[in-house]
Amino acid sequence: MTLRLFDETPAPYVAPEVIAPGAMLLRGFALGVDEALLQAVEGVVAAAPLRHLVTPGGYTMSVAMTNCGALGWVSDRSGYRYDAKDPLSGQAWPSMPACFAELALRAAAEAGFDNFRPDACLINRYEPGARLSLHQDKDEGSMDAPIVSVSLGLPAVFLFGGLRRSDCTARYRLQHGDVAVWGGPSRLAYHGVAPLAKGEHARLGAQRINLTFRCAR
Ligand code: SIN
Ligand code: FE2
């Protein structure tokens, strides 16, 4: 048996880890396709650059974001919404790369949600110190489909709570290649990401990339 106590090397996928009803971590699920995903991220970012959005309250988000797919999640002084066009360019968002759609479909099925066909993928880039405060994903047109979230690069602490903001949150360390899926009774669970710790990832350097797949329509 290999002792993994202090070993940060991601281990290959074994089985879902249930964290709440309808919510699962698929540790290492994206490891075989990580390089394809990252090359596809580079293509999306070349066409629709990462940018720091402003919240309706006037704060600039520490996480930089862009999107691909038919719809993209955006925020500005007027609110949060999905938009078919990138407000920076006025053009449609880059189309969803096939490797994104395939991984999201497989991960959702593995978590018990069949036929997941997301029309939106939010790409989040965290640099050390960046965080995402506790929120619900509730701008989507339907709550029937789950959220599929893929972690790449530096590890992060994912906070996962209940249906009320005041519910206590559990902390999960998400590493490169891990996938989180939440739907059904957990679809509106509050979640967030603690400030990213400093570090160097072999492929991505001092950053974490997260892909969040949604059915926004
Ligand atoms: C999100 O809630 O949109 C992102 C979660 C993450 O970065 O893991
Ligand atoms: Fe979210």
Side-chain angles (χ1 to χ4, degrees), residues 94-165:
S95 56
M96 177 107 53
C99 63
F100 278 29
E102 282 160 20
L103 175 70
L105 176 70
R106 279 200 299 118
E110 183 68 15
F113 301 97
D114 286 336
N115 300 312
F116 181 59
R117 307 268 176 209
D119 53 13
C121 174
L122 173 66
I123 301 177
N124 293 312
R125 191 218 34 221
Y126 298 74
E127 290 176 321
R131 61 189 288 267
L132 201 59
S133 56
L134 221 51
H135 66 278
Q136 295 171 297
D137 290 359
K138 59 177 182 188
D139 301 321
E140 297 72 34
S142 156
M143 296 295 137
D144 294 343
I147 302 290
V148 171
S149 171
V150 179
S151 293
L152 297 165
L154 283 181
V157 175
F158 182 57
L159 311 170
F160 198 81
L163 299 180
R164 288 171 309 188
R165 185 181 289 279

Side-chain angles (χ1 to χ4, degrees), residues 44 48 64 66-67 70 75 96 109 123 143 150 168 183 199 204:
V44 171
T66 187
N67 292 278
S75 173
M96 177 107 53
I123 301 177
M143 296 295 137
V150 179
C168 63
L204 278 169

Side-chain angles (χ1 to χ4, degrees), residues 4-55:
R4 300 192 57 85
L5 211 49
F6 299 106
D7 186 354
E8 292 284 333
T9 312
Y13 177 68
V14 179
E17 177 186 332
V18 177
I19 60 170
M24 260 138 285
L25 300 183
L26 312 178
R27 295 195 183 276
F29 193 83
L31 282 178
V33 293
D34 55 344
E35 188 52 38
L37 295 176
L38 287 170
Q39 285 181 20
V41 167
E42 284 163 14
V44 171
V45 167
L50 290 156
R51 79 292 304 260
H52 294 271
L53 298 172
V54 174
T55 67

